[in-house]
Amino acid sequence: MKCRVCREPAIIDVRRQNANYCTEHFLRMCRDQVTKAIERHDMLSPGDAVLVAVSGGKDSLALWDLLLDLGYRADGLYIGLGIGEYSDASGACARAFAEARDATLVEVDLRTRYGFDIPNGAKAARRAPCSACGLAKRHVFDEAARLGGYDVVVTGHNLDDEAAVLFGNVLRWQTEYLGRQQPVLPARDGFPKKAKPLIRLGEREMAAYCVVRGIDYIVEECPMAAGNRHLGYKEALNQLEATSPGTKFAFYHEFLDKAAERFVGEADDAREALVACDSCGAPTPSGTCAFCRLTARAQVEIRA
Amino acid sequence: MQVVLRNPRREVEIQGPISVVALLGRLGINRESVLVIKGDTIVPGDAMLDDDDCVELRPVISGGAA
Ligand code: SF4
Ligand SMILES: [Zn+2]
Ligand SMILES: [Zn+2]
């Protein structure tokens, strides 16, 4: 196997591109794909203050590394979710990366700041852990961006993540969700701009990127992820990809090019006018925001 | 040859020499879903693995919802 660019021995095959790469040209390809995503979808401008949502996993650490290399001013935000050993190990990876790259990592610990963690908070509020977790993460990122003066929050969602979400939305024709499945959401009503610069790179490439760059990330899965519906969608898509390389990329990117536009109206219709949460000031349809309600319920139950 | 699998971590012995593609086929693993790592580098599909090699098959699919 030889590198497509220099004909030296390759370390990785990227079958959907029908190409193999050596270390140097693989890293260059990753940077080029991120640059392309950023430019095509107007994700970032050169002087932007960027906040990277860092989980300690391969995608978010690779994204942070790529943005720093591309010259962006990018800080990381890590949320302590309190999910046992998984959280301890992922936090350690995030801290080690920040230290090695001399980058700024902001940390918010749910237990210290809000009095609950994901396992006990979800139970107290009678929500599925991933639903409580998603709500908490969105809230903390939005707030950190607002208070910290960041222009945009970026997340490590990669091609596989987005294709799996699209697959799920299409299977049930969830038109409102399809209308919102955009790689970049402009700032509005007190919410920061959000972008996903890894949409042109697959999950396997992000893991390879970390190995090649010597980035230590958490390989273990969050214990709450077991049985997650998206895992099944990813496996199904990878079955198709195995016999027909490029399927995932075409599925998602042709959706963006040819179909996404048609559903935007559905999402707008469902969008309510927002007011400031009476407890934290975050934008919410009315009264107290969902996160403050979760916090209040969790605190009452946990104290009892 | 020692093959380390993750999530959960376990080890299996496979007779070498064998190519990476053949190894994955033998274990019934989809190439898209793992990286084959030897030492601190990745090995491509057509590489041959010797009987005294030690490789890690690292899954690359993560499943968080948010
Ligand atoms: S798997 Fe669920 S609980 Fe675990 S980090 Fe992801 S969203 Fe949170
Ligand atoms: Zn090369
Ligand atoms: Zn609130």
Side-chain angles (χ1 to χ4, degrees), chain A residues 16 33-34 36-38 40-41 43 63 155-163 181-184 195-202 206 248-249 252-253 256:
Chain A
R16 71 162 183 283
Q33 292 297 330
V34 167
K36 209 167 186 176
I38 289 173
R40 247 197 213 171
H41 301 280
M43 292 182 176
L63 172 59
T155 54
H157 295 93
N158 57 45
L159 173 61
D160 292 68
D161 295 322
E162 293 305 297
Q181 205 185 339
Q182 294 289 335
V184 51
K196 301 171 179 173
L198 297 184
I199 52 166
R200 300 180 64 85
L201 290 164
M206 293 340 296
K248 280 183 290 197
F249 192 91
Y252 176 65
H253 285 277
L256 291 184

Side-chain angles (χ1 to χ4, degrees), chain A residues 119-127 297-299 301-302:
Chain A
N120 71 17
K123 210 188 226 168
R126 289 184 189 80
R127 279 180 95 118
R297 221 172 312 152
Q299 286 173 349
E301 290 265 337
I302 290 160

Side-chain angles (χ1 to χ4, degrees), chain A residues 220-237:
Chain A
E220 282 67 39
E221 274 294 305
C222 170
M224 311 278 165
N228 186 300
R229 230 185 320 130
H230 284 114
L231 266 179
Y233 295 153
K234 282 185 179 175
E235 274 161 23
L237 288 169

Side-chain angles (χ1 to χ4, degrees), chain A residues 2-10 20-26:
Chain A
K2 290 194 171 13
C3 172
R4 162 196 262 185
V5 187
C6 69
R7 312 308 295 163
E8 291 294 311
N20 308 312
Y21 296 100
C22 69
T23 301
E24 182 194 337
H25 292 116
F26 172 67

Side-chain angles (χ1 to χ4, degrees), chain A residues 1 10-11 13 58 130 134 157 203-204 207-208 211-212 217 219-221 228 231 234 238 241 248, chain B residues 6-7 30-35 37 40-46 58 60-66:
Chain A
M1 225 168 82
I11 55 146
D13 55 323
K58 62 188 186 322
C130 291
H157 295 93
E203 193 140 46
R204 186 164 170 271
V211 172
V212 171
Y217 66 91
V219 177
E220 282 67 39
E221 274 294 305
N228 186 300
L231 266 179
K234 282 185 179 175
N238 276 341
E241 187 79 16
K248 280 183 290 197
Chain B
R6 304 283 293 256
N7 295 348
N30 185 331
R31 277 174 71 188
E32 275 292 303
S33 63
V34 290
L35 282 180
I37 300 173
D40 56 8
T41 179
I42 311 167
V43 272
D46 64 351
R58 185 182 291 187
V60 297
I61 315 285
S62 42

Side-chain angles (χ1 to χ4, degrees), chain A residues 81 83 86 118 129-130 133-134 137 222-225 228, chain B residues 63-66:
Chain A
L81 301 169
I83 307 178
Y86 167 77
I118 292 304
C130 291
C133 185
K137 283 185 201 161
C222 170
M224 311 278 165
N228 186 300

Side-chain angles (χ1 to χ4, degrees), chain A residues 20-78:
Chain A
N20 308 312
Y21 296 100
C22 69
T23 301
E24 182 194 337
H25 292 116
F26 172 67
L27 293 175
R28 192 206 278 174
M29 184 277 289
C30 291
R31 283 181 207 122
D32 289 348
Q33 292 297 330
V34 167
T35 303
K36 209 167 186 176
I38 289 173
E39 286 174 357
R40 247 197 213 171
H41 301 280
D42 231 335
M43 292 182 176
L44 304 175
S45 311
D48 276 352
V50 182
L51 187 61
V52 186
V54 173
S55 70
K58 62 188 186 322
D59 303 301
S60 55
L61 290 179
L63 172 59
W64 196 4
D65 192 60
L66 283 156
L67 292 180
L68 290 171
D69 272 359
L70 290 170
Y72 287 97
R73 195 150 57 87
D75 294 348
L77 171 58
Y78 175 81

